[in-house]
Amino acid sequence: MATDALGWWGVPLAIIAGTLRGSAPFLFVSLGECLTEKSGKINLGLEGTLLMGAMSAYAVSFLTGSPWLGVITAGVAGMGLGLIHGWLAQQPRVNDIAVGIAMIIFGSGLAFFFGKPYIQPAAPQLPSIAFGAWSQSPQLESALRVSPLFLLGVAIAPLMTWFFRATRWGLLVRAVGDSPDAARAMGISVFKVRLFSIMAGSFLAGVGGAYLSLYYPGIWSERISSGQGLMAVALVIFARWNPRQCLYASLLFGGAQAIGPALQSVGIDAYYYLFNASPYILTLLIMVFTCSPRRQLSGAPGALGQSQD
Amino acid sequence: MTDSLRRSLANLYIPLGSLLAALIIFGGFCALAGANPFGVYHSIYRAAFGSWSSFQNTLTQASPLMLSSLCTALPARLGLVIIGNEGAIVMGGLAAVVSGLALSDWGAASPVVQIGMALAAMGLGGLWIALVGALRHYRAVNETISSLLLNYIAIALLNHLINGPLKDPSSLNNPATYPIPAVHMLGNLPGSRVHYGLIFGLVACGIAYFLIQRTTFGFAARTTGGNLRAAKIAGLPVGQLTLIICFLGGACAGLAGMVEVAAIHGRANAALNAGYGYSGVLVAFIARQNPIAATVVALLLGGILASGGILQRAHSLPDATVLVFQGIVFLSVLYGDSLQGRLSGLMQRFRRQPVPPPAPIGPLV
Amino acid sequence: MATPALSVTRRQVLRGLLATSAFGLTVKLGGCGDSPIADDGTDTLTAGFVYVGPRDDYGYNQAHAQGRDGLADVPNLSAFDEANVPETQAVQETMRSMIDLDGASVIFATSFGYFEPHVLSLAEEFPDVQFFHCGGLYEEGVHPDNVGSYFGYIDEAQYIAGIVAAHTSETKRLGFIGAIPIPQVLRNINSFTLGARSVDPSVTTQVIFTGDWAAPVREAEAANSMIDQGVDVLTCHVDSPRVVIETAERRGVFSSGYHASQAELAPNGYLTGAEWDWTSVYRNYITWLQEGKTLMNGGIPHLVRGGLGDGFVKLSDYGSAVSDTAKQEAEDAKAGLLSGDLVIYAGEIQDNRGNTVVAQNEALGQTAIELEQMDWLIEGVSGSVS
């Protein structure tokens, strides 16, 4: 059983623990969105992908008893939605933001429709690694309990940076995102590269959903996502299309989720709605101070947001 | 057949064909889920358009969407992709309540209170989105993202105010602000239960169309949206245009918030944040940012929403079915749009042709 | 499976009978009109149920949906429902469509936010249809005659859960995760704490409001921060308690359920829980209606309230961690509540800012309207209302 109260030390501890527990969905979705946007398209529909991932992971884990199979299914289900988005958003006269919002509705609709039977049963959860096993303090022990899936996400971030910088495929994605015309002239299929990027990005977002339902908070419910999928788009811009910075931004957002409850637990109980909105306010402020009309943001894909050719 | 005739026919049969396709796909989905598709079609028709009473349901559901869609459609003419409708609606609703309470306290007559509420709502909603425009113009902050963030901030502000400073202690289990006196509420259209929000929506869409298509202001906006650099060289006041258009868009969404308060709830509560914002974004895009088309698309979405209940009650389909239906309809209509001007080519041979973009969307960054 | 199903039915019938006899509790109008129901010449009663969330949320809405499902075997009744209906004009359209298209003569609107203006305005438009609203406060002379409100004193179960919690807690710190500080949530927090402090006045309850009826991640964060602060029994009032109960179980602390039994989610730490039993409430309403009683003829009271004794609410079975002393005291308190000897809000009670909220010799019975307008947290609760 829990021992002594932590008092004010509980606040930083809760934020650290909240960061380790709650950032992974942001991380996976923002990495997925980063890959998508690097290829020159936006996918707002990742909110729906996240929900679809959460539902399918939970269902498969429940039905087969294997949470890891659930994670893979979530990715594949995400890819299915990514296929629709990637194909449709590249049709002439079709705007990717519009497709994204339609995909939020469609994806969440499918997830809710097929997820009904899985709200109540308990599915096997993903294991965790106890980095705090040495500690005498149960609070610290619990705070340092980390999901391997989160570590995987942390590993993907630098890998994706390397992918963009040093691999042929990464160069292709960047070329297509920066100047599709030049890429086309080089004989690259812009359509295919973007389709694959969007699908791979959606795979990651689906895995992010699996983290929600199979690790933290570890349930499937229709309100499981608190807008992580939508926020991913903001996160990526916040992170300047740099996967490594996506990691930092996700940690920030994950930790921010813990601020409101942590402050209330030590007796600061006014303004909690505003504390809960702190990540959004912070992001906006940072964007206001770091953007400038005189230069384009470094790392921004040139073709991003341009209408279809 | 002349080109223009063919084009206007295409304007008609492509959306209709997309709808038909969506209905067929959705029918298949229902059949898989164990419901009789034809029974489902019949129910949808009955619940959305079948009688004057059910059509009023459709009109009621559609009216906030018309105003909300303009918040996206107007700035889109400048090439701005704004999805901050939800936030502007919430801020409009808050402004309407505060001004309405102040004016009725002061003893103003009903028309004064109502006009005051509308102006305050449009003002605050307008400023909310003008802020997005200003950040875009002066700080180059991406307008899609900043407007998205402002949605969350507006909702947090609403929750903070209705649970704190503005809370009516007698609102008990459904926290809300103090109510606007019933005499100052907006009524319904004669002979119906549809409130005046529908008229506001139709009029606003009409004005917006006229403003964009028939005035020099609209021409300047479209020019800027088409080619920012050329507009600057031509000496157009891009900054002013951005602020004004964003203000107008936000004002429309703010007015939608005022209607929610002044025609339905009488106070501001959590129901102000009911998703009309995101639906409005979708309506605007489906309508290709055309305000007149937006009224039709809003009616379509209103009809879908109006028929959502009967799918549950008469066919035992889960509540999420209406989401799936919406998703299929919108994806299908979006795809149908891409066939515009491509159909003849398609008939010869399926090949992708470059088509010039009719509604240019600005760079994201 | 035949036997358990049969026993459930029998128990439900018994509970229904019990409820019927005890229903007179808050009857304000003694009238007993017997004019038969005018129901379009048919004998079938058509009732529509409206829920604000999904039918299967493992919480608030599911409790109501199960209440409706429990009516399946009632003859001459067609009871249908619609889920996920927002508290906007959409709910008015839903109710209207139930009346116009499906011929409903009775509507059960189960979310607080449906009452004003939605239920009230529909009730004026359809004076022959009866609207029963969950949680609202009917005011005679102010609200239409065809509106009734029902709710259960689930805080009685919370009081007993508080007793069990205080006996089990080692740190003497209890945690309560609330959605928003509305009277119904505050009353649960206060009753839970009063129950706990009746065992040991040194017990305190920490409250965290998440600000939303359903916010799984924030609920989990709230649970974790409270556990870090030494809280070792957690309970909650949110739409779906699952996250709180499972988080408590994973962290090895005790939990107490809400809305429905979550015992199977926490085999080690689940102590007990405050559960609804809407089936008995709805069956009772239907019986009244089929007997021809209505709100308008005075046969059905406008305010229907009930607690443990009336079958509105119940306690989850005690978990394995509950000691015999705790069980004994809990059962004593339950008996006291059933007999009326025990009044939860008996003075003097101070709030956590030092104001007296219930005076020295005052005893607010469960039916006291003041309790439904509660805007304070009692001494021993750390948290604030605004």
Side-chain angles (χ1 to χ4, degrees), chain A residues 272-297:
Chain A
Y272 48 88
Y273 284 107
L274 303 184
F275 282 124
N276 289 339
S278 56
Y280 313 120
I281 300 171
L282 189 67
T283 310
L284 189 62
L285 287 179
I286 292 181
M287 282 174 66
V288 171
F289 288 114
T290 55
C291 292
S292 160
R294 276 174 289 284
R295 58 184 163 79
Q296 208 194 20
L297 289 174

PDB file of all heavy atoms in Angstrom, chain A residues 272-297:
ATOM      1  N   TYR A 272      -9.050  25.160 -12.931  1.00  0.00           N
ATOM      2  CA  TYR A 272      -8.508  23.931 -13.517  1.00  0.00           C
ATOM      3  C   TYR A 272      -8.848  23.787 -14.996  1.00  0.00           C
ATOM      4  O   TYR A 272      -8.127  23.152 -15.733  1.00  0.00           O
ATOM      5  CB  TYR A 272      -8.898  22.681 -12.731  1.00  0.00           C
ATOM      6  CG  TYR A 272     -10.350  22.564 -12.378  1.00  0.00           C
ATOM      7  CD1 TYR A 272     -11.228  21.960 -13.249  1.00  0.00           C
ATOM      8  CD2 TYR A 272     -10.823  23.032 -11.159  1.00  0.00           C
ATOM      9  CE1 TYR A 272     -12.557  21.849 -12.911  1.00  0.00           C
ATOM     10  CE2 TYR A 272     -12.148  22.916 -10.820  1.00  0.00           C
ATOM     11  CZ  TYR A 272     -13.020  22.326 -11.709  1.00  0.00           C
ATOM     12  OH  TYR A 272     -14.340  22.211 -11.386  1.00  0.00           O
ATOM     13  N   TYR A 273      -9.937  24.416 -15.419  1.00  0.00           N
ATOM     14  CA  TYR A 273     -10.210  24.363 -16.862  1.00  0.00           C
ATOM     15  C   TYR A 273      -9.089  25.036 -17.633  1.00  0.00           C
ATOM     16  O   TYR A 273      -8.673  24.569 -18.690  1.00  0.00           O
ATOM     17  CB  TYR A 273     -11.521  25.072 -17.181  1.00  0.00           C
ATOM     18  CG  TYR A 273     -12.727  24.276 -16.818  1.00  0.00           C
ATOM     19  CD1 TYR A 273     -13.511  24.601 -15.728  1.00  0.00           C
ATOM     20  CD2 TYR A 273     -13.066  23.150 -17.571  1.00  0.00           C
ATOM     21  CE1 TYR A 273     -14.607  23.853 -15.378  1.00  0.00           C
ATOM     22  CE2 TYR A 273     -14.158  22.398 -17.233  1.00  0.00           C
ATOM     23  CZ  TYR A 273     -14.931  22.746 -16.138  1.00  0.00           C
ATOM     24  OH  TYR A 273     -16.005  21.990 -15.809  1.00  0.00           O
ATOM     25  N   LEU A 274      -8.609  26.147 -17.072  1.00  0.00           N
ATOM     26  CA  LEU A 274      -7.564  26.875 -17.775  1.00  0.00           C
ATOM     27  C   LEU A 274      -6.232  26.124 -17.685  1.00  0.00           C
ATOM     28  O   LEU A 274      -5.471  26.086 -18.646  1.00  0.00           O
ATOM     29  CB  LEU A 274      -7.458  28.292 -17.225  1.00  0.00           C
ATOM     30  CG  LEU A 274      -8.786  29.062 -17.316  1.00  0.00           C
ATOM     31  CD1 LEU A 274      -8.630  30.495 -16.849  1.00  0.00           C
ATOM     32  CD2 LEU A 274      -9.348  29.060 -18.739  1.00  0.00           C
ATOM     33  N   PHE A 275      -5.980  25.459 -16.540  1.00  0.00           N
ATOM     34  CA  PHE A 275      -4.776  24.639 -16.463  1.00  0.00           C
ATOM     35  C   PHE A 275      -4.831  23.497 -17.478  1.00  0.00           C
ATOM     36  O   PHE A 275      -3.847  23.162 -18.118  1.00  0.00           O
ATOM     37  CB  PHE A 275      -4.590  24.056 -15.057  1.00  0.00           C
ATOM     38  CG  PHE A 275      -4.050  25.045 -14.069  1.00  0.00           C
ATOM     39  CD1 PHE A 275      -4.721  25.323 -12.900  1.00  0.00           C
ATOM     40  CD2 PHE A 275      -2.855  25.696 -14.321  1.00  0.00           C
ATOM     41  CE1 PHE A 275      -4.219  26.239 -11.992  1.00  0.00           C
ATOM     42  CE2 PHE A 275      -2.344  26.613 -13.423  1.00  0.00           C
ATOM     43  CZ  PHE A 275      -3.037  26.889 -12.253  1.00  0.00           C
ATOM     44  N   ASN A 276      -6.045  22.919 -17.612  1.00  0.00           N
ATOM     45  CA  ASN A 276      -6.177  21.828 -18.568  1.00  0.00           C
ATOM     46  C   ASN A 276      -5.931  22.306 -19.991  1.00  0.00           C
ATOM     47  O   ASN A 276      -5.551  21.528 -20.858  1.00  0.00           O
ATOM     48  CB  ASN A 276      -7.559  21.191 -18.463  1.00  0.00           C
ATOM     49  CG  ASN A 276      -7.714  20.387 -17.183  1.00  0.00           C
ATOM     50  OD1 ASN A 276      -6.725  19.985 -16.587  1.00  0.00           O
ATOM     51  ND2 ASN A 276      -8.943  20.162 -16.764  1.00  0.00           N
ATOM     52  N   ALA A 277      -6.179  23.593 -20.249  1.00  0.00           N
ATOM     53  CA  ALA A 277      -5.976  24.117 -21.604  1.00  0.00           C
ATOM     54  C   ALA A 277      -4.555  24.625 -21.795  1.00  0.00           C
ATOM     55  O   ALA A 277      -4.223  25.136 -22.864  1.00  0.00           O
ATOM     56  CB  ALA A 277      -6.965  25.240 -21.877  1.00  0.00           C
ATOM     57  N   SER A 278      -3.714  24.470 -20.751  1.00  0.00           N
ATOM     58  CA  SER A 278      -2.384  25.077 -20.838  1.00  0.00           C
ATOM     59  C   SER A 278      -1.561  24.626 -22.048  1.00  0.00           C
ATOM     60  O   SER A 278      -0.872  25.449 -22.637  1.00  0.00           O
ATOM     61  CB  SER A 278      -1.619  24.849 -19.534  1.00  0.00           C
ATOM     62  OG  SER A 278      -1.557  23.484 -19.246  1.00  0.00           O
ATOM     63  N   PRO A 279      -1.629  23.356 -22.467  1.00  0.00           N
ATOM     64  CA  PRO A 279      -0.799  23.011 -23.629  1.00  0.00           C
ATOM     65  C   PRO A 279      -1.171  23.809 -24.879  1.00  0.00           C
ATOM     66  O   PRO A 279      -0.296  24.172 -25.663  1.00  0.00           O
ATOM     67  CB  PRO A 279      -1.067  21.520 -23.861  1.00  0.00           C
ATOM     68  CG  PRO A 279      -1.979  21.069 -22.813  1.00  0.00           C
ATOM     69  CD  PRO A 279      -2.302  22.187 -21.901  1.00  0.00           C
ATOM     70  N   TYR A 280      -2.464  24.079 -25.023  1.00  0.00           N
ATOM     71  CA  TYR A 280      -2.893  24.799 -26.231  1.00  0.00           C
ATOM     72  C   TYR A 280      -2.426  26.244 -26.180  1.00  0.00           C
ATOM     73  O   TYR A 280      -1.965  26.811 -27.179  1.00  0.00           O
ATOM     74  CB  TYR A 280      -4.411  24.728 -26.377  1.00  0.00           C
ATOM     75  CG  TYR A 280      -4.952  23.340 -26.179  1.00  0.00           C
ATOM     76  CD1 TYR A 280      -5.855  23.029 -25.182  1.00  0.00           C
ATOM     77  CD2 TYR A 280      -4.500  22.305 -27.002  1.00  0.00           C
ATOM     78  CE1 TYR A 280      -6.323  21.744 -25.001  1.00  0.00           C
ATOM     79  CE2 TYR A 280      -4.948  21.016 -26.825  1.00  0.00           C
ATOM     80  CZ  TYR A 280      -5.872  20.742 -25.820  1.00  0.00           C
ATOM     81  OH  TYR A 280      -6.315  19.472 -25.642  1.00  0.00           O
ATOM     82  N   ILE A 281      -2.557  26.838 -24.978  1.00  0.00           N
ATOM     83  CA  ILE A 281      -2.137  28.230 -24.837  1.00  0.00           C
ATOM     84  C   ILE A 281      -0.630  28.338 -25.084  1.00  0.00           C
ATOM     85  O   ILE A 281      -0.152  29.205 -25.813  1.00  0.00           O
ATOM     86  CB  ILE A 281      -2.511  28.740 -23.426  1.00  0.00           C
ATOM     87  CG1 ILE A 281      -4.029  28.638 -23.232  1.00  0.00           C
ATOM     88  CG2 ILE A 281      -2.031  30.171 -23.217  1.00  0.00           C
ATOM     89  CD1 ILE A 281      -4.511  28.904 -21.822  1.00  0.00           C
ATOM     90  N   LEU A 282       0.088  27.385 -24.487  1.00  0.00           N
ATOM     91  CA  LEU A 282       1.541  27.389 -24.628  1.00  0.00           C
ATOM     92  C   LEU A 282       1.947  27.255 -26.096  1.00  0.00           C
ATOM     93  O   LEU A 282       2.804  27.998 -26.590  1.00  0.00           O
ATOM     94  CB  LEU A 282       2.111  26.229 -23.808  1.00  0.00           C
ATOM     95  CG  LEU A 282       3.619  26.210 -23.667  1.00  0.00           C
ATOM     96  CD1 LEU A 282       4.053  27.390 -22.825  1.00  0.00           C
ATOM     97  CD2 LEU A 282       4.080  24.906 -23.038  1.00  0.00           C
ATOM     98  N   THR A 283       1.330  26.303 -26.799  1.00  0.00           N
ATOM     99  CA  THR A 283       1.680  26.113 -28.204  1.00  0.00           C
ATOM    100  C   THR A 283       1.434  27.384 -28.996  1.00  0.00           C
ATOM    101  O   THR A 283       2.267  27.795 -29.820  1.00  0.00           O
ATOM    102  CB  THR A 283       0.814  24.993 -28.815  1.00  0.00           C
ATOM    103  OG1 THR A 283       0.878  23.880 -27.965  1.00  0.00           O
ATOM    104  CG2 THR A 283       1.314  24.610 -30.184  1.00  0.00           C
ATOM    105  N   LEU A 284       0.298  27.999 -28.753  1.00  0.00           N
ATOM    106  CA  LEU A 284      -0.034  29.205 -29.502  1.00  0.00           C
ATOM    107  C   LEU A 284       1.019  30.290 -29.235  1.00  0.00           C
ATOM    108  O   LEU A 284       1.511  30.925 -30.167  1.00  0.00           O
ATOM    109  CB  LEU A 284      -1.433  29.683 -29.106  1.00  0.00           C
ATOM    110  CG  LEU A 284      -1.993  30.815 -29.961  1.00  0.00           C
ATOM    111  CD1 LEU A 284      -2.132  30.371 -31.407  1.00  0.00           C
ATOM    112  CD2 LEU A 284      -3.347  31.277 -29.440  1.00  0.00           C
ATOM    113  N   LEU A 285       1.352  30.462 -27.955  1.00  0.00           N
ATOM    114  CA  LEU A 285       2.329  31.503 -27.617  1.00  0.00           C
ATOM    115  C   LEU A 285       3.670  31.222 -28.289  1.00  0.00           C
ATOM    116  O   LEU A 285       4.284  32.123 -28.864  1.00  0.00           O
ATOM    117  CB  LEU A 285       2.499  31.586 -26.091  1.00  0.00           C
ATOM    118  CG  LEU A 285       1.316  32.208 -25.353  1.00  0.00           C
ATOM    119  CD1 LEU A 285       1.572  32.224 -23.857  1.00  0.00           C
ATOM    120  CD2 LEU A 285       1.048  33.619 -25.863  1.00  0.00           C
ATOM    121  N   ILE A 286       4.092  29.968 -28.216  1.00  0.00           N
ATOM    122  CA  ILE A 286       5.392  29.655 -28.813  1.00  0.00           C
ATOM    123  C   ILE A 286       5.365  29.923 -30.315  1.00  0.00           C
ATOM    124  O   ILE A 286       6.304  30.461 -30.889  1.00  0.00           O
ATOM    125  CB  ILE A 286       5.786  28.198 -28.495  1.00  0.00           C
ATOM    126  CG1 ILE A 286       6.068  28.096 -26.999  1.00  0.00           C
ATOM    127  CG2 ILE A 286       7.004  27.777 -29.295  1.00  0.00           C
ATOM    128  CD1 ILE A 286       6.497  26.746 -26.532  1.00  0.00           C
ATOM    129  N   MET A 287       4.231  29.575 -30.948  1.00  0.00           N
ATOM    130  CA  MET A 287       4.148  29.840 -32.386  1.00  0.00           C
ATOM    131  C   MET A 287       4.197  31.332 -32.670  1.00  0.00           C
ATOM    132  O   MET A 287       4.845  31.777 -33.620  1.00  0.00           O
ATOM    133  CB  MET A 287       2.858  29.232 -32.959  1.00  0.00           C
ATOM    134  CG  MET A 287       2.981  27.733 -33.164  1.00  0.00           C
ATOM    135  SD  MET A 287       1.430  26.978 -33.663  1.00  0.00           S
ATOM    136  CE  MET A 287       1.188  27.695 -35.251  1.00  0.00           C
ATOM    137  N   VAL A 288       3.512  32.105 -31.832  1.00  0.00           N
ATOM    138  CA  VAL A 288       3.501  33.547 -32.065  1.00  0.00           C
ATOM    139  C   VAL A 288       4.920  34.107 -31.964  1.00  0.00           C
ATOM    140  O   VAL A 288       5.329  34.945 -32.761  1.00  0.00           O
ATOM    141  CB  VAL A 288       2.573  34.245 -31.049  1.00  0.00           C
ATOM    142  CG1 VAL A 288       2.729  35.750 -31.135  1.00  0.00           C
ATOM    143  CG2 VAL A 288       1.134  33.843 -31.292  1.00  0.00           C
ATOM    144  N   PHE A 289       5.691  33.590 -30.987  1.00  0.00           N
ATOM    145  CA  PHE A 289       7.012  34.173 -30.787  1.00  0.00           C
ATOM    146  C   PHE A 289       8.059  33.627 -31.742  1.00  0.00           C
ATOM    147  O   PHE A 289       9.065  34.281 -31.973  1.00  0.00           O
ATOM    148  CB  PHE A 289       7.459  33.987 -29.332  1.00  0.00           C
ATOM    149  CG  PHE A 289       6.692  34.872 -28.398  1.00  0.00           C
ATOM    150  CD1 PHE A 289       5.840  34.352 -27.450  1.00  0.00           C
ATOM    151  CD2 PHE A 289       6.795  36.257 -28.519  1.00  0.00           C
ATOM    152  CE1 PHE A 289       5.115  35.186 -26.614  1.00  0.00           C
ATOM    153  CE2 PHE A 289       6.069  37.097 -27.696  1.00  0.00           C
ATOM    154  CZ  PHE A 289       5.220  36.559 -26.732  1.00  0.00           C
ATOM    155  N   THR A 290       7.840  32.438 -32.281  1.00  0.00           N
ATOM    156  CA  THR A 290       8.906  31.886 -33.117  1.00  0.00           C
ATOM    157  C   THR A 290       8.658  32.056 -34.605  1.00  0.00           C
ATOM    158  O   THR A 290       9.591  31.964 -35.387  1.00  0.00           O
ATOM    159  CB  THR A 290       9.114  30.390 -32.842  1.00  0.00           C
ATOM    160  OG1 THR A 290       7.863  29.739 -33.029  1.00  0.00           O
ATOM    161  CG2 THR A 290       9.601  30.152 -31.430  1.00  0.00           C
ATOM    162  N   CYS A 291       7.402  32.284 -34.999  1.00  0.00           N
ATOM    163  CA  CYS A 291       7.162  32.456 -36.421  1.00  0.00           C
ATOM    164  C   CYS A 291       7.535  33.873 -36.819  1.00  0.00           C
ATOM    165  O   CYS A 291       7.555  34.779 -35.988  1.00  0.00           O
ATOM    166  CB  CYS A 291       5.696  32.216 -36.760  1.00  0.00           C
ATOM    167  SG  CYS A 291       5.206  30.516 -36.556  1.00  0.00           S
ATOM    168  N   SER A 292       7.802  34.028 -38.087  1.00  0.00           N
ATOM    169  CA  SER A 292       8.097  35.368 -38.569  1.00  0.00           C
ATOM    170  C   SER A 292       7.656  35.478 -40.015  1.00  0.00           C
ATOM    171  O   SER A 292       7.817  34.528 -40.787  1.00  0.00           O
ATOM    172  CB  SER A 292       9.590  35.658 -38.447  1.00  0.00           C
ATOM    173  OG  SER A 292       9.904  36.717 -39.318  1.00  0.00           O
ATOM    174  N   PRO A 293       7.085  36.618 -40.386  1.00  0.00           N
ATOM    175  CA  PRO A 293       6.642  36.747 -41.773  1.00  0.00           C
ATOM    176  C   PRO A 293       7.812  36.877 -42.728  1.00  0.00           C
ATOM    177  O   PRO A 293       7.641  36.737 -43.941  1.00  0.00           O
ATOM    178  CB  PRO A 293       5.806  38.028 -41.748  1.00  0.00           C
ATOM    179  CG  PRO A 293       6.257  38.785 -40.550  1.00  0.00           C
ATOM    180  CD  PRO A 293       6.770  37.786 -39.579  1.00  0.00           C
ATOM    181  N   ARG A 294       9.007  37.142 -42.194  1.00  0.00           N
ATOM    182  CA  ARG A 294      10.110  37.425 -43.111  1.00  0.00           C
ATOM    183  C   ARG A 294      10.821  36.182 -43.606  1.00  0.00           C
ATOM    184  O   ARG A 294      11.562  36.202 -44.550  1.00  0.00           O
ATOM    185  CB  ARG A 294      11.103  38.376 -42.450  1.00  0.00           C
ATOM    186  CG  ARG A 294      10.675  39.827 -42.611  1.00  0.00           C
ATOM    187  CD  ARG A 294      11.564  40.769 -41.834  1.00  0.00           C
ATOM    188  NE  ARG A 294      11.366  40.665 -40.401  1.00  0.00           N
ATOM    189  CZ  ARG A 294      10.325  41.186 -39.761  1.00  0.00           C
ATOM    190  NH1 ARG A 294       9.389  41.822 -40.428  1.00  0.00           N
ATOM    191  NH2 ARG A 294      10.211  41.066 -38.454  1.00  0.00           N
ATOM    192  N   ARG A 295      10.613  35.058 -42.915  1.00  0.00           N
ATOM    193  CA  ARG A 295      11.280  33.856 -43.424  1.00  0.00           C
ATOM    194  C   ARG A 295      10.335  32.673 -43.264  1.00  0.00           C
ATOM    195  O   ARG A 295       9.481  32.664 -42.379  1.00  0.00           O
ATOM    196  CB  ARG A 295      12.573  33.598 -42.644  1.00  0.00           C
ATOM    197  CG  ARG A 295      12.315  33.442 -41.176  1.00  0.00           C
ATOM    198  CD  ARG A 295      13.576  33.287 -40.367  1.00  0.00           C
ATOM    199  NE  ARG A 295      13.260  33.541 -38.970  1.00  0.00           N
ATOM    200  CZ  ARG A 295      12.677  32.662 -38.156  1.00  0.00           C
ATOM    201  NH1 ARG A 295      12.362  31.470 -38.596  1.00  0.00           N
ATOM    202  NH2 ARG A 295      12.406  32.969 -36.906  1.00  0.00           N
ATOM    203  N   GLN A 296      10.531  31.720 -44.134  1.00  0.00           N
ATOM    204  CA  GLN A 296       9.721  30.526 -43.993  1.00  0.00           C
ATOM    205  C   GLN A 296      10.330  29.666 -42.905  1.00  0.00           C
ATOM    206  O   GLN A 296      11.529  29.722 -42.654  1.00  0.00           O
ATOM    207  CB  GLN A 296       9.711  29.756 -45.309  1.00  0.00           C
ATOM    208  CG  GLN A 296       8.446  28.955 -45.461  1.00  0.00           C
ATOM    209  CD  GLN A 296       8.549  27.946 -46.565  1.00  0.00           C
ATOM    210  OE1 GLN A 296       9.639  27.582 -46.989  1.00  0.00           O
ATOM    211  NE2 GLN A 296       7.414  27.488 -47.034  1.00  0.00           N
ATOM    212  N   LEU A 297       9.492  28.909 -42.231  1.00  0.00           N
ATOM    213  CA  LEU A 297      10.005  28.031 -41.196  1.00  0.00           C
ATOM    214  C   LEU A 297      10.941  27.024 -41.821  1.00  0.00           C
ATOM    215  O   LEU A 297      10.644  26.447 -42.866  1.00  0.00           O
ATOM    216  CB  LEU A 297       8.853  27.294 -40.530  1.00  0.00           C
ATOM    217  CG  LEU A 297       7.957  28.144 -39.653  1.00  0.00           C
ATOM    218  CD1 LEU A 297       6.793  27.323 -39.179  1.00  0.00           C
ATOM    219  CD2 LEU A 297       8.736  28.699 -38.495  1.00  0.00           C
TER     220      LEU A 297
END
